[in-house]
Amino acid sequence: MDITHILDGLNDAQRDAVTAPVNSTLVLAGAGSGKTRVLVHRIAYLIQVEKISPWSLTAVTFTNKAANEMKHRIEVLLKEPVNNMWVGTFHGLAHRFLRMHHIDAELPKNFQILDSDDQHRLIKRLTKEMNLDDSKWQPRQTQWFINKQKDDGLRADKLNHDGDPYKRQMLNLYKEYENICRRTGVVDFAELILLTYETIRDKKHIQDHYQKRFKSILVDEFQDTNNIQYMWLRLLCGKSNNLFVVGDDDQSIYGWRGARVENIQEFQKHYIDTKIIRLEQNYRSTNNILSGANSVISNNASRLGKNLWTEDGDGELIKLYGAFNEIDEARFVVNRIRSDIDEGSSRSEIAILYRTSAQSRLFEEALIQQEIPYRVYGGVKFFERAEVKDALAYLRLTNNYDDDSSFERAVNRPARGIGSKTIETIRLYAKNSKCSLWQAGKKLLDEKLFTQRAENSLKAFYSLIEEAKISIEDLDLPQKVDEIIHRSQLKDYFNKSRDGKGQDRIENLDELINATRQFKYLDDQETASDLDAFLAHAALESGEQQADFTEDSVQLMTLHSAKGLEFNIVFICGMEEGLFPHSMSADDPIRLEEERRLCYVGMTRAMKYLYISYAESRRLHGSDTYPFASRFLREIPSNLIEEIRTKSKTSGPYTSPSGSLRDAQEITGYQLGQRVFHPKFGEGTVLNAEGQGAGARIQINFESVGSKWLVVSYANLSTL
DNA sequence: ACAAATACTGTTTTT
DNA sequence: CAGTATTTGT
C-alpha cells in the first residue's frame, strides 16, 4: 500500500503521532503546530494502513466548525466520502446516540433540546413556582449549580446537602427541574452528555456493542473536556486502550466552564503505557512573537512543559502602544489598520482582539469613521435571536404539545389576550397535577374554570396549534416553517412593533425559511422526522453565521473566540490590570493562570505582526479609571518589544521600553498579585495600587475581611 | 395588557 | 454609561 500521501510533508513528531501504534496516545500540540493535520492524517492512516473500518472510528471535537473542517479534510485526503464514521461534537454525538437509543435512555421519541436560554427561563419559572425569592435564589446561580453537578456526573438523589441550607434548596430545585424536564420531554446540553454516559454505563448490551465497535477514538482539544466528557470517553474505550487525544494544556481557557486541564495529567495515570508526543515546531508565527508568547506562558507553574520553536526568521518586534485613553487606543489601532490596508494587506488578515466584548464598540466606531468594513464575531447567534426562537417555539409545540418552554414562549406572542393571570392558573394546575402546561390548559378548559374572555383566547390558541399541526403534516420543511410563521402572525406582530428592529426581525424570519432550505436532512441522524432533525440542528448549532461570505473585512473578536484562528496582523487591546487579567480573576492564582493562557492564545494567533496596546485612562461603567499596564506585558522580554510613541515627549531622558510602563512596584513597592500580611486583617493579595510617595494606596483582598484600600505608609504590611 | 419609568448590574460562552 | 429587567401606572 502506498502511503506516501499520508506521510508526505509531515515533520518527525507529526509522523510519530500519525503512525503511533493503535494504543493510548497523547499528543501535546502547541499553537500552530499542525494538530488538525495530525488528526486528519491519523484517521487516514487508521483506515488505509491499519485497515480499520470508518464505522469503527469516532472523532470528537468541541465545535461544529472544527468537526466540519475535519470531516472535509479527511474526505479530501481519502478522496472519498466518509459517511459511516462518527465525526462530531460531544453534544452532537450524544444527541445522535440518544435518538438511536431513546427507549433505553427512557426518553420520548421526539425529545427536544433545551438551550441555555431556555434552561434559564425554565429555572426562573420554577423558582417562582416554588415561592422562592429570586434575589436570594438567583436562577443564574441555580443554573450554574445544576450544570456543574451534571458535568460532574452527579444526580440530585446522589447528592447530600450536608446540613447546608443553601445546598439543600439547590438540590430541591435540581430535583424539581429534572422532574419537569422528564415530564415535558426536554434535555439540556449537560443532560445530553450525562444521559448518554449513564445509558452506556447501565445497559450492558449497549456498552458491549460500542466497546467492541470502536477500535479507535480520537479527541480534539482534549484540554477542554470536562469531567463527564472524560468519563464518557473512558467508558466508551473500555478495557482497550484506544484513545488518541490531542490537546494543549497551555491553551486551556475554558476552566470557568468546567473544563479540566487535569484530565491531561490524569490521562497518563489512567493509561500507563500512553505514548506521549510533543508537537513543538510552530508553522505560524515569527520567532519574536513566539519567544514573547513562550516567555509569558513560562510564568505559569502548572504546566506539562513545552517550548515552541520555529524555523521562521525573527521578523518584526512586538509593537507596544500606551494610549492616553481608550479613544486614543482605538484611533491608534484603526490608523494602523488604515495604513496596513493601504500597503496592500487584505482586511480579513487583520484581527482586533480584546478581553471583553464591550470593548468592541469603540473600535467599531473608529472603523466606521474610516469607512473600513469589519465584522464582529460573537454576540447573539442566529438561532438564539428572539424572533427565531419564537417561530421555533411554534414548530416545537406542533411537534410536542408537552414542551413547556415552547408553550410559555408562544402562548402570548403575538399578544392574543392570554395574560399573566391566565397563565398563572395554568402553571398552578400543571404543578399540582404534575402535567405539562398544555395538558393543564386543556383540563382547565374542560372544567370551564376561566373567564369567558380568557377561555376564548385560550381556545383560539389551542386550535391555532392543533390546526397548524395538521396543516403542515405533509409539507416539506421550508413550507412547514413558512406556514407556521404565517399562521402565528409573527410577522404582523413585529411589523407593528416600532422599536426600530421590526424590519430586521422579519428579515430574520425569512432567513429562517432560507436556513431550512439549506438544511440537508440526512436519514442517518436517527431522528423521527426532518422537523426533529432541524430543531435539533437549531439547538445544537446556534448558527455560527455560516459561510457569511460577505465583504473582505477586519475581524473583531474576544480572545476566547480567537482560539484556533490565525491572522497576519493581530492587535491585542486593553492590556491593563483589571481588564486583562480581568479583575474577577485577579485574586485567584488558578484563574490568573488561565488569564495568562488566554494571553498566550492571543499572542500565538499572530503570524507576522503583533501589536499590543493599553490605555492609561479608561472610562469604565461611567467613571474614569487609571489602570496599570498589564502584568503580562512585563513578562515579555523588553528586547522583543518596540514601543511606539506618538505622544510628544519633548523633555526628559529616554526611558527604556519596560521602564516606561507604569509599574505598581515602582510606585508602592508592592507587586500586583503579591501575597502580603497585615497585623489586623491577616493574609491577602495585592489587587491594585494608585498614587505616589506618601499618599500611595494599595488595594488588598484579605481572606478574612475582603477587599480594602490601605495607605502604604501606614499599613504596616509585611510580605509573604 | 401594555407602555413608561425606575432599578440594577456590569467576564469569557465551543454546545 | 448603557443595556436589561422588573415594577409601576394607566
Side-chain angles (χ1 to χ4, degrees), chain A residues 35 285 320 369:
Chain A
K35 104 193 133 77
S285 314
L320 178 66
Q369 210 166 41

Side-chain angles (χ1 to χ4, degrees), chain A residues 462-526:
Chain A
Y462 274 98
S463 8
L464 169 69
I465 300 296
E466 280 164 348
E467 282 166 23
K469 183 187 169 77
I470 296 164
S471 77
I472 63 172
E473 218 152 50
D474 298 319
L475 301 177
D476 67 20
L477 194 53
Q479 289 171 325
K480 275 182 181 147
V481 180
D482 195 9
E483 182 70 14
I484 281 284
I485 291 173
H486 180 72
R487 282 178 178 260
S488 65
Q489 295 181 299
L490 279 170
K491 278 194 188 173
D492 287 345
Y493 169 69
F494 290 126
N495 209 4
K496 281 188 206 112
S497 85
R498 71 229 154 242
D499 59 350
K501 292 198 205 145
Q503 205 49 49
D504 278 357
R505 301 211 145 118
I506 290 168
E507 278 167 23
N508 282 330
L509 288 179
D510 288 331
E511 185 54 36
L512 178 64
I513 302 172
N514 209 20
T516 59
R517 284 204 197 92
Q518 316 258 314
F519 177 70
K520 287 187 280 305
Y521 171 53
L522 304 168
D523 239 338
D524 76 326
Q525 295 293 301
E526 319 294 343

Side-chain angles (χ1 to χ4, degrees), chain A residues 271-551:
Chain A
Y271 302 99
I272 308 279
D273 56 346
T274 295
K275 177 167 179 150
I276 300 173
I277 296 157
R278 287 184 161 77
L279 304 183
E280 296 179 299
Q281 181 174 3
N282 172 290
Y283 294 95
R284 180 185 292 154
S285 314
T286 64
N287 197 23
N288 282 341
I289 293 172
L290 219 47
S291 305
N294 277 337
S295 167
V296 169
I297 198 69
S298 69
N299 288 283
N300 273 4
S302 51
R303 293 180 69 209
L304 289 173
K306 190 166 28 54
N307 220 14
L308 290 184
W309 57 276
T310 176
E311 285 178 351
D312 204 2
D314 283 349
E316 296 283 324
L317 290 172
I318 297 167
K319 311 276 199 299
L320 178 66
Y321 181 70
F324 293 120
N325 56 28
E326 74 278 13
I327 297 166
D328 182 38
E329 178 184 49
R331 195 177 44 213
F332 165 77
V333 168
V334 173
N335 281 344
R336 265 297 140 135
I337 290 176
R338 166 94 278 157
S339 37
D340 285 331
I341 292 172
D342 292 345
E343 283 161 23
S345 285
S346 89
R347 293 186 281 261
S348 56
E349 278 301 313
I350 306 172
I352 305 178
L353 310 182
Y354 35 76
R355 174 68 237 261
T356 69
S357 20
Q359 286 166 259
S360 75
R361 226 195 60 214
L362 285 159
F363 295 106
E364 292 187 61
E365 282 167 10
L367 286 161
I368 289 170
Q369 210 166 41
Q370 293 263 357
E371 297 179 314
I372 299 172
Y374 66 91
R375 191 185 147 192
V376 186
Y377 282 75
V380 203
K381 310 263 180 35
F382 180 73
F383 286 114
E384 287 168 354
R385 307 208 115 107
E387 60 276 20
V388 174
K389 294 205 72 165
D390 287 339
L392 291 178
Y394 280 93
L395 273 175
R396 284 165 67 142
L397 255 194
T398 62
N399 203 27
N400 171 12
Y401 291 148
D402 297 332
D403 182 340
D404 281 5
S405 317
S406 300
F407 185 94
E408 291 252 6
R409 196 166 185 121
V411 72
N412 202 31
R413 199 175 170 102
R416 48 172 69 82
I418 305 172
S420 46
K421 203 157 41 73
T422 313
I423 296 172
E424 209 57 60
T425 319
I426 299 177
R427 280 198 199 119
L428 190 67
Y429 190 96
K431 183 188 164 196
N432 290 334
S433 50
K434 299 202 187 308
C435 64
S436 69
L437 294 173
W438 176 274
Q439 290 164 15
K442 267 261 141 106
K443 294 248 175 59
L444 288 166
L445 277 179
D446 288 345
E447 292 169 27
K448 298 241 177 280
L449 286 169
F450 290 115
T451 61
Q452 192 60 48
R453 244 169 78 111
E455 182 181 320
N456 289 342
S457 312
L458 196 59
K459 270 188 174 159
F461 177 68
Y462 274 98
S463 8
L464 169 69
I465 300 296
E466 280 164 348
E467 282 166 23
K469 183 187 169 77
I470 296 164
S471 77
I472 63 172
E473 218 152 50
D474 298 319
L475 301 177
D476 67 20
L477 194 53
Q479 289 171 325
K480 275 182 181 147
V481 180
D482 195 9
E483 182 70 14
I484 281 284
I485 291 173
H486 180 72
R487 282 178 178 260
S488 65
Q489 295 181 299
L490 279 170
K491 278 194 188 173
D492 287 345
Y493 169 69
F494 290 126
N495 209 4
K496 281 188 206 112
S497 85
R498 71 229 154 242
D499 59 350
K501 292 198 205 145
Q503 205 49 49
D504 278 357
R505 301 211 145 118
I506 290 168
E507 278 167 23
N508 282 330
L509 288 179
D510 288 331
E511 185 54 36
L512 178 64
I513 302 172
N514 209 20
T516 59
R517 284 204 197 92
Q518 316 258 314
F519 177 70
K520 287 187 280 305
Y521 171 53
L522 304 168
D523 239 338
D524 76 326
Q525 295 293 301
E526 319 294 343
T527 47
S529 66
D530 55 351
L531 180 56
D532 278 321
F534 182 72
L535 291 174
H537 168 82
L540 252 25
E541 310 197 20
S542 38
E544 181 49 40
Q545 289 118 33
Q546 86 270 42
D548 196 12
F549 288 123
T550 40
E551 213 174 349

Side-chain angles (χ1 to χ4, degrees), chain A residues 581-607:
Chain A
H582 198 276
S583 52
M584 304 296 286
S585 311
D587 58 344
D588 178 355
I590 294 181
R591 301 179 74 182
L592 199 56
E593 292 212 340
E594 183 155 310
E595 297 274 321
R596 189 174 282 110
R597 291 194 291 267
L598 191 55
C599 180
Y600 174 76
V601 166
M603 293 175 76
T604 51
R605 299 310 98 194
M607 299 164 79

